[in-house]
Amino acid sequence: MPWASREMIDVGSLSWADLRRGYVTQFHIVGALMMREMRTRFGNRQFGYAWALIEPLIQIGILVFIFRMLGRRPPLGTSFEAFFLNGFVPYSLFNQISLRSAQAIVANRALLALPPVRNMDTVWARIILEAATGTVSLILLMAIFGYFGVPIVPNDLLQYVLGLASAISLGAGIGVFNASMSSIWNIWPTIYSWFARLQYFLCGVFFLPDFMPPTVRSTLAYNPLAHCLMWIREGFYSGYESIILDKYYPITFAIIAAILGMTIERVFRRQVEQL
Amino acid sequence: MIRFESVTKRYPLKKGKKTILADATFDIPRGQSLGVLGVNGAGKSTFLRMISGSELPDRGRVIRENVTISWPLGFSDSFHGSLTGRENLRFACRVYRKSVERTTRYVEEFSELGKHLDMPIRTYSSGMKARLAFGLSMAFDFDVYLVDETTAVGDAKFRSKCNIVFNEKLTNSDIIMVSHSMATLKSYCTAGCLLNNGTIRFFDSINDAIVAYEEQIKEKA
């Protein structure tokens, strides 16, 4: 095993002070990377920030328009706007985190020339930035919708926030996996973005898995993101309790993906770092 | 202290592997400037990157204690093309936790980039980029500077400016330098080392190192 080097096993005289210093340094570096990513992610103009609001507004608007034309009624509650807001925004949050961190290592290869910056720092920076962007845009969207009379106050705020956190964690876990997979296998981002597009139809942005036929429902239950959306909607609507929601499933999925990703990064670090 | 502890480093070739260091244990001598010699592909740049910490050894470890080490200057830069020079400086200051103001002031004066400092890096010529990178590393006051074939940056006037600052640095800092120009090595370095097929030999005098290197080339020819 060429990668089973001594430093993996023998940490030598590593003390708590060393560990603390390591974390403080990493905290600064991830912070610096976030500032840098922010400038490149949103560009120079205010439009970059505005787009984070406009894009979900358009998407939700299209969905509301289509479903009104079809003469449907919302699966839950009385408002299509609220139903799609609580579907599309977490979906997009998950997608942005997992897709953008997929490119983190590959896009920041030049940074490897700076010894203090390591591969995973760039991944964490993108995850935190996307999670913050998505959360802020959700809060602003809620304010906008609330202003126009759409019901936006979750019935059970704790479960709502936990559900949202599960979607962010799932995006982060899969993001870590994507980032290290992409660094060793350059076709992976293409494959994953295909999955990500499918998610729009599979996670329940515009439907509720509970109301699907049993075979479809049990297949959809394999999709961890579908559980996050049901969790969020359980928190949002009073009287809705999903029959297939398993709150441990997306969390476990996220943890396993993250561990796998970090293992891949550690095992192939030498190959990836070779310039 | 910079210590290599039973370090093995190989890199893959199309056929087989090239060994740079094989189970080598040594300290990098401090208090003198070191010229790194070796034929093309002996692993001089990889050696510098291992010292800096941007590349890991296959086995063993590199210990750096109470010493600040620069990134390898001149080999590649980490600047982001769509950010301005100033923004890239700010990023480097945050990473190395240095004062943004003081660094920017120093680089402004040193690099003579003027208004270009507020332009995106992608509009820079390679000479301008090198001036920015060189100024930045000089602003940071490292204990050890790693230099990979740079000194021929910019016009004659800027080069002589670099030489003056670099020589000032030599009073407090060490330089570890890779160059194909023996004249450059002689003018900057007092000691030398020679990388050859997995072994490394240290010489107290750069001249001895150059002699050994030239003998090695003759043997191969």
Side-chain angles (χ1 to χ4, degrees):
Chain A
M1 290 187 292
W3 43 270
S5 74
R6 278 187 50 196
E7 64 190 338
M8 255 177 102
I9 304 142
D10 170 23
V11 290
S13 55
L14 193 66
S15 68
W16 285 110
D18 290 334
L19 257 180
R20 203 176 59 96
R21 200 169 51 230
Y23 280 120
V24 170
T25 308
Q26 193 178 25
F27 179 80
H28 273 94
I29 288 169
V30 171
L33 282 165
M34 278 173 62
M35 308 290 258
R36 176 182 163 119
E37 290 283 337
M38 220 147 106
R39 281 286 285 104
T40 50
R41 162 87 159 76
F42 297 109
N44 283 333
R45 276 141 291 166
Q46 312 297 321
F47 184 74
Y49 294 100
W51 184 246
L53 272 183
I54 297 168
E55 207 244 329
L57 273 177
I58 296 173
Q59 292 271 8
I60 295 167
I62 291 172
L63 282 175
V64 170
F65 179 76
I66 293 174
F67 278 75
R68 285 249 171 84
M69 293 297 279
L70 291 173
R72 298 282 181 80
R73 284 182 43 217
L76 290 171
T78 52
S79 156
F80 268 127
E81 287 85 353
F83 188 79
F84 295 142
L85 177 75
N86 289 315
F88 182 78
V89 174
Y91 151 81
S92 142
L93 192 56
F94 164 85
N95 249 9
Q96 289 291 349
I97 296 174
S98 63
L99 278 169
R100 286 196 51 87
S101 46
Q103 304 286 348
I105 294 179
V106 181
N108 286 308
R109 284 191 69 90
L111 279 179
L112 288 180
L114 287 185
V117 184
R118 289 343 292 154
N119 275 336
M120 273 297 156
D121 299 333
T122 64
V123 181
W124 294 122
R126 285 198 172 186
I127 287 173
I128 297 170
L129 184 60
E130 289 310 319
T133 308
T135 308
V136 170
S137 105
L138 174 63
I139 292 169
L140 291 175
L141 284 168
M142 282 181 137
I144 295 170
F145 278 35
Y147 180 80
F148 289 106
V150 175
I152 46 139
V153 183
N155 176 55
D156 183 342
L157 188 62
L158 177 68
Q159 288 306 316
Y160 185 79
V161 170
L162 286 177
L164 206 60
S166 78
I168 293 173
S169 314
L170 187 64
I174 294 178
V176 168
F177 176 78
N178 282 346
S180 39
M181 266 307 262
S182 312
S183 69
I184 59 168
W185 192 30
N186 55 13
I187 309 165
W188 180 250
T190 319
I191 297 173
Y192 179 76
S193 65
W194 183 77
F195 274 115
R197 266 196 296 275
L198 268 188
Q199 272 295 11
Y200 187 79
F201 302 99
L202 296 179
C203 73
V205 170
F206 51 82
F207 63 86
L208 209 58
D210 296 278
F211 296 168
M212 291 283 155
T215 45
V216 179
R217 189 202 301 152
S218 56
T219 313
L220 288 174
Y222 284 104
N223 181 5
L225 186 59
H227 291 263
C228 302
L229 264 68
M230 289 187 283
W231 192 344
I232 290 168
R233 281 171 174 153
E234 262 194 14
F236 190 82
Y237 295 102
S238 68
Y240 163 58
E241 207 174 310
S242 167
I243 44 172
I244 53 169
L245 170 60
D246 177 358
K247 292 175 180 172
Y248 290 106
Y249 182 57
I251 300 297
T252 315
F253 200 99
I255 293 171
I256 291 173
I259 291 174
L260 254 170
M262 287 191 267
T263 310
I264 293 172
E265 194 276 335
R266 190 62 192 85
V267 169
F268 290 98
R269 187 180 289 170
R270 284 179 185 77
Q271 283 90 317
V272 173
E273 282 182 351
Q274 231 134 36
L275 295 169
Chain B
M1 183 191 69
I2 307 171
R3 173 174 293 162
F4 278 58
E5 237 180 44
S6 38
V7 167
T8 299
K9 181 75 185 175
R10 295 193 180 87
Y11 63 82
L13 300 172
K14 268 185 187 159
K15 271 185 181 177
K17 282 186 164 185
K18 171 83 191 169
T19 304
I20 295 162
L21 285 174
D23 198 25
T25 300
F26 55 88
D27 281 13
I28 304 271
R30 294 292 314 277
Q32 49 190 350
S33 313
L34 188 71
V36 182
L37 291 153
V39 292
N40 278 334
K44 301 183 292 288
S45 297
T46 307
F47 181 55
L48 281 197
R49 284 206 298 277
M50 275 200 286
I51 296 175
S52 79
S54 62
E55 209 171 296
L56 289 169
D58 294 345
R59 271 162 204 281
R61 53 182 180 173
V62 181
I63 302 165
R64 303 166 206 88
E65 255 170 31
N66 305 321
V67 59
T68 59
I69 306 174
S70 79
W71 59 92
L73 306 184
F75 175 67
S76 60
D77 61 63
S78 57
F79 295 138
H80 196 298
S82 57
L83 297 182
T84 67
R86 202 180 291 280
E87 285 165 337
N88 273 293
L89 288 184
R90 201 176 300 147
F91 172 72
C93 290
R94 289 206 184 102
V95 167
Y96 282 93
R97 296 167 79 178
K98 304 278 181 186
S99 152
V100 177
E101 267 172 53
R102 211 174 328 129
T103 309
T104 309
R105 221 180 304 131
Y106 182 93
V107 176
E108 262 173 354
E109 198 191 314
F110 184 86
S111 66
E112 299 173 13
L113 283 166
K115 284 176 184 156
H116 288 287
L117 217 48
D118 291 306
M119 298 284 287
I121 293 285
R122 71 176 114 77
T123 64
Y124 283 34
S125 67
S126 57
M128 284 158 70
K129 256 191 265 183
R131 269 147 68 178
L132 185 65
F134 194 77
L136 179 62
S137 62
M138 290 299 121
F140 278 178
D141 276 326
F142 291 109
D143 296 331
V144 175
Y145 281 90
L146 305 176
V147 184
D148 196 337
E149 309 263 13
T150 44
T151 35
V153 167
D155 54 16
K157 191 173 141 252
F158 185 75
R159 260 201 310 259
S160 78
K161 192 172 172 180
C162 288
N163 281 344
I164 293 167
V165 181
F166 226 32
N167 283 320
E168 268 171 31
K169 290 277 170 195
L170 280 175
T171 54
N172 294 316
S173 312
D174 298 347
I175 290 176
I176 302 176
M177 181 181 269
V178 170
S179 175
H180 284 291
S181 152
M182 297 302 137
T184 311
L185 286 179
K186 274 183 191 168
S187 73
Y188 284 105
C189 306
T190 50
C193 67
L194 178 60
L195 277 168
N196 182 25
N197 280 333
T199 63
I200 185 164
R201 269 164 76 200
F202 284 89
F203 300 86
D204 286 334
S205 141
I206 184 72
N207 290 323
D208 294 348
I210 291 173
V211 170
Y213 169 64
E214 277 164 353
E215 269 169 17
Q216 186 201 315
I217 293 175
K218 264 182 223 152
E219 275 169 34
K220 287 208 171 147

